[in-house]
Amino acid sequence: MPNSQPRILIVDDEAAVRDSLRRWFELDGYAIEVADSGAAALRRMQEVSFDVALIDLRMPGMDGVALQQRMHEVTPDTAVIIVTAFGTIQSAVEVLKHGAFDYLTKPVDPDELSRMVRRALELRELRAQNNRLRRAVDHRGGAVIVGETPAMRTLRAQVAEAASADVPVLICGETGTGKHLVATVLHTAGPRRYFSFVPLACGVSEGELGDDELLGQEGGSLPPTTLPRMGKLQLAEGGTLFLDEVARLGPQTQRALLELLRRGSFTPLGSTRPRATDFRLISASSVALAPLVQANRFSADLYYRVAVLTLTCPPLRERRADIPALARHLLERLSSPGGAPFTGFTPPALERLVGYDWPRNVRELANAIERALVVGRPPLIGAEDLLLGPVSAPPAAPLRETTTTTETTTTETTTTETTTDLSLAAVEQQHIAAVLERCQGDRRRAAALLGIAPALLDEKLALLKPHAAPG
C-alpha cells in the first residue's frame, strides 16, 4: 500500500450507500470523496487524482461502464471497482474487459470490499514501482550496487553475469544486506527488464502462502460470489517473480511451487484449464537453505531448482571501507526534495558510522541516516545526530540530566533517589519530556529521535502529567 493516505472516490446515486461506504473507509484511514452521478464524478476527477474509484453499475444518465471508460481517459491510473445490485457473469466480463480492476455485487460485504481495495492499491503501487524501474533502466542502466571493496566488486561482477543468464538465482545474506536490491538489479539488467518485477514476501507469516495469492482465481467451480483475481504468477508473466525469505515457505506451497516449475504451467483456483507461464524466478534467504534441506524442512528438489546460481551479499561489518560512500549515497537518496539541504557528514560522524557493527546492516544504516535528517542541523550530519543501536534503550545520563534540569531545586542526592524510585512509566514520561525539550517542542523531531511514530508520541503525550510535558 502506498505510504501517503490513499484517496477513494465513491460514485453511487443512492445516498445511503454513499454514506455507509464513506463511514466504513474513513474508519480505515482513507481520504474519501463521494459523487452522486457520473457527470459529478468526472468533474471532480479532472481536479483531483484518486487511487481507487468505487462505481455503481446502474445510475441515471451515465452508467458505470460508460463512466469507467471516460475515467480511463482522464485518469488512466485510477483503479476501478464496480459495485452493483444487478450482477451477472456477462456484466462482470463486460466491466473487466473494459479495464475494471474488480467487480462486487450488492449487498456489499465491507470486509470483502476492503480486501479488494487493498489489492487494487497494491497492484497500483506495483505498477508504479515497475514504471520507476523502467525509468531507472532507461536513464542509468540499472547499476545501483554501491561499494568498491573486493567483496562488493566480486558481487557486482557476479550480478552482471547472472543478469543475462536468465536462470533461477538464490541470493543469500543476513537481514538488511541488500538482497532485494540485488534482485532488482538482476531484473533491470536482464532481458526481462521491460516486464514486471513482482516481489512476494514469503516471511510475512509463518507457513503457507494463500494459493489464491500465488495462483489467482478465475471463478469456474468456485462459488458464484467468488470473483476473478490475478495471482502473483500472472502479474509476473514475462518478467521476474522475487520470492523474499523463500525458506519460510510451508511444505504445501513448496510442493505447489515445485510442480509449477516442473511443468511450466499452473492452474488458477476454480479453473480446470492449465495456464502456461513464463517468468524468471529469483529467491532470497537470510538463513542457509542447505541445513534446512538436510533436516527435511525444505524440499531438496525445490532447492536445486531455485539455486541454479547463488549470490551472497556480505554483511556491512565485513566491508567497512564502503560505509562512507554508502552513507553519502543513502543521504542523497533519502533527502526529500525541498527539505533541509544536507551535504554530507562531519568527520566524527563518519568515524562513528565506520566503527559501528551494524547488526541489521544497510537497512539499519539507512534508518540511522533517515532519523539524522530529521533531528540534525544542515549542512552536515554530526555524530550527535546519529542514534545507533536499539532506539528503545536510551543512555542513562540524559535521564539524570533531565531530572536535574526540570527540578532545579533538588540536590544530586535527591535526584538519584528520585530516579531509583521511579516506575517504568514515569521514567518513560521523563525521557519523552527531556527529548521534547532538546528538540524545542518539535514533536516530529522528537518522535524521530525516540524512534517512534509521531502518532504514537501524541498518544504518549496525552498520558503525560501536565508538569512533565513542555510546550
Side-chain angles (χ1 to χ4, degrees), residues 5-170:
Q5 188 181 30
R7 302 180 64 87
I8 298 177
L9 177 64
I10 298 169
V11 190
D12 200 301
D13 59 326
E14 295 182 52
V17 174
R18 295 196 302 270
D19 292 343
S20 63
L21 290 179
R22 176 207 286 270
R23 286 195 297 272
W24 175 263
F25 283 104
E26 283 180 342
L27 287 174
D28 279 351
Y30 296 104
I32 304 298
E33 292 196 30
V34 298
D36 59 4
S37 68
L42 281 176
R43 284 196 297 272
R44 189 55 181 150
M45 294 192 81
Q46 289 171 339
E47 302 167 343
V48 178
S49 175
F50 292 92
D51 299 292
V52 177
L54 307 179
I55 301 176
D56 187 20
L57 186 60
R58 287 195 181 181
M59 293 182 291
M62 183 186 303
D63 68 12
V65 174
L67 174 59
Q68 175 194 353
Q69 293 172 318
R70 295 286 304 278
M71 285 173 61
H72 279 313
E73 297 170 3
V74 179
T75 56
D77 292 336
T78 301
V80 173
I81 296 175
I82 298 291
V83 182
T84 180
F86 306 96
T88 64
I89 295 297
Q90 290 77 12
S91 61
V93 170
E94 184 71 11
V95 297
L96 294 175
K97 189 171 65 179
H98 283 90
F101 172 77
D102 223 325
Y103 178 91
L104 190 62
T105 55
K106 296 178 181 177
V108 171
D109 177 348
D111 291 324
E112 173 63 23
L113 185 55
S114 291
R115 287 192 291 273
M116 203 175 284
V117 167
R118 286 196 293 272
R119 290 200 300 269
L121 291 169
E122 289 169 359
L123 178 62
R124 193 172 184 274
E125 177 62 13
L126 182 65
R127 286 173 173 164
Q129 288 176 4
N130 280 303
N131 287 335
R132 289 195 290 271
L133 279 174
R134 290 189 182 102
R135 287 195 294 272
V137 170
D138 292 338
H139 290 97
R140 298 178 314 187
V144 293
I145 297 176
V146 177
E148 292 301 328
T149 53
M152 293 308 291
R153 289 185 177 183
T154 299
L155 177 62
R156 197 156 45 236
Q158 292 173 336
V159 168
E161 292 177 0
S164 58
D166 200 29
V167 297
V169 175
L170 174 65

